[in-house]
Amino acid sequence: MYQPKTPKDIRCPLEYGLDVFGGKWKSRIICVLAEKDTLRYSALRREMTNITDAVLAGALKELIRDGIIERKQYDEIPPRVEYRLSEKGKSVVPILQTICRWSGAYHREDSTNTLLQCQKCDYHLK
Amino acid sequence: MYQPKTPKDIRCPLEYGLDVFGGKWKSRIICVLAEKDTLRYSALRREMTNITDAVLAGALKELIRDGIIERKQYDEIPPRVEYRLSEKGKSVVPILQTICRWSGAYHREDSTNTLLQCQKCDYHLK
DNA sequence: CAGTATCCTATTAGATACTG
DNA sequence: CAGTATCTAATAGGATACTG
């Protein structure tokens, strides 16, 4: 997990937003949860393809801290933890779709390297 | 300037978009150029407050490569170079404003640490 | 003036092993 | 199962000096 020594100088709302859903994994996590609604930790990791636990757990913590996703823990054995978007989290989805739609015109898929979870995204863009 | 060894796995339009205007400086540069229209290198650096040449020049190169800004060089002495948003660059401004508007509800300014160039942004949010 | 070149640090991301 | 603890690697970002 990562922890900056200096508390990150976020100096305007725009920078705050880009920090909340920027980075390599956060937007993917939000997209997957937007589609699947509720996922257990292991299912979420499977959807992400190639993320490691250290990185996934770190990203989830930040998303929880920023109020984007909610974590619900069931005290069972074996343990069960479910993740889903909060209302705030759901409110960023249209923004991500807007970015996606804007980029769609410029980012032509080389077909060898496209995310499965973005087929939904492409569908919405038609 | 920075140059990744592996060519960055951008796997969907969303990731492309976040790459184009994400990072610490790119969105600021776009905002400043959206407001000032055309700026020389030195004026742009002045607007950014605390950016170094190495970092500014690197960010500008990426923005040019991605077609967001245009560079016009006048062969004078002393040299003059002007930067401005391309049409593609102008088309991202509404997206940045959307993010800004979304974040505005959550990012409460601590007033000690707010960007000058975001006063315009705040103005638009009223 | 408008950058490059070089070196350095901080942060992000990844690999691997381990645990309640 | 759902993580944490460590360690390492890659990269974004920064400081400083220099140049056509």
Side-chain angles (χ1 to χ4, degrees):
Chain A
M1 199 191 81
Y2 33 86
Q3 182 81 338
K5 279 156 194 171
T6 53
K8 261 199 179 183
D9 61 331
I10 290 176
R11 303 191 275 177
C12 73
L14 177 55
E15 291 184 4
Y16 169 83
L18 289 172
D19 184 62
V20 164
F21 54 78
K24 179 160 182 181
W25 296 105
K26 289 179 185 176
S27 66
R28 287 190 206 178
I29 293 171
I30 295 170
C31 285
V32 167
L33 287 178
E35 192 178 10
K36 306 279 185 176
D37 195 58
T38 300
L39 284 177
R40 299 181 62 161
Y41 180 87
S42 52
L44 188 51
R45 186 182 47 205
R46 204 159 35 240
E47 293 287 333
M48 303 306 292
T49 51
N50 286 335
I51 199 170
T52 61
D53 284 316
V55 171
L56 176 56
L60 289 174
K61 278 193 175 166
E62 287 192 33
L63 288 165
I64 290 166
R65 178 203 65 195
D66 293 329
I68 302 301
I69 64 179
E70 288 161 359
R71 179 185 185 277
K72 189 165 185 185
Q73 177 173 349
Y74 298 86
D75 287 324
E76 304 171 356
I77 293 181
R80 178 156 64 109
V81 176
E82 290 181 346
Y83 293 94
R84 55 183 308 174
L85 292 181
S86 66
E87 286 309 310
K88 182 178 175 185
K90 286 175 189 167
S91 75
V92 333
V93 175
I95 295 177
L96 299 185
Q97 286 176 327
T98 301
I99 297 171
C100 208
R101 204 172 301 118
W102 176 86
S103 307
Y106 305 105
H107 175 70
R108 276 306 88 213
E109 51 270 86
D110 13 22
S111 72
T112 52
N113 197 21
T114 304
L115 279 178
L116 285 177
Q117 55 262 48
C118 279
Q119 291 176 348
K120 181 209 174 200
C121 168
D122 287 333
Y123 176 76
H124 277 297
L125 294 180
K126 282 186 184 119
Chain B
M1 199 192 83
Y2 32 85
Q3 182 82 337
K5 281 158 193 169
T6 53
K8 260 198 178 183
D9 61 332
I10 290 177
R11 303 193 274 177
C12 74
L14 176 54
E15 291 183 5
Y16 170 82
L18 290 172
D19 185 63
V20 164
F21 54 78
K24 179 162 182 180
W25 296 105
K26 290 180 184 176
S27 66
R28 287 190 208 179
I29 292 171
I30 295 170
C31 285
V32 166
L33 287 177
E35 192 177 13
K36 306 279 184 174
D37 194 58
T38 300
L39 284 178
R40 299 181 61 162
Y41 180 86
S42 53
L44 188 50
R45 187 182 46 206
R46 202 159 37 240
E47 292 287 334
M48 303 306 293
T49 51
N50 286 335
I51 199 170
T52 61
D53 283 316
V55 171
L56 176 57
L60 289 174
K61 280 192 175 168
E62 287 192 32
L63 288 165
I64 290 165
R65 178 203 65 194
D66 293 330
I68 302 301
I69 64 180
E70 287 161 359
R71 178 184 185 277
K72 189 165 184 184
Q73 177 173 350
Y74 298 86
D75 288 323
E76 303 170 355
I77 293 181
R80 179 157 63 106
V81 176
E82 290 181 348
Y83 292 94
R84 55 183 311 174
L85 291 181
S86 66
E87 286 308 310
K88 182 178 175 184
K90 286 176 190 166
S91 74
V92 332
V93 174
I95 295 178
L96 299 184
Q97 286 175 328
T98 302
I99 297 172
C100 209
R101 203 172 301 118
W102 176 84
S103 307
Y106 304 106
H107 176 70
R108 277 305 87 212
E109 52 271 83
D110 13 21
S111 73
T112 51
N113 197 21
T114 304
L115 280 177
L116 285 177
Q117 56 260 50
C118 280
Q119 290 175 350
K120 180 208 173 200
C121 168
D122 287 334
Y123 176 75
H124 278 297
L125 294 180
K126 280 186 186 118

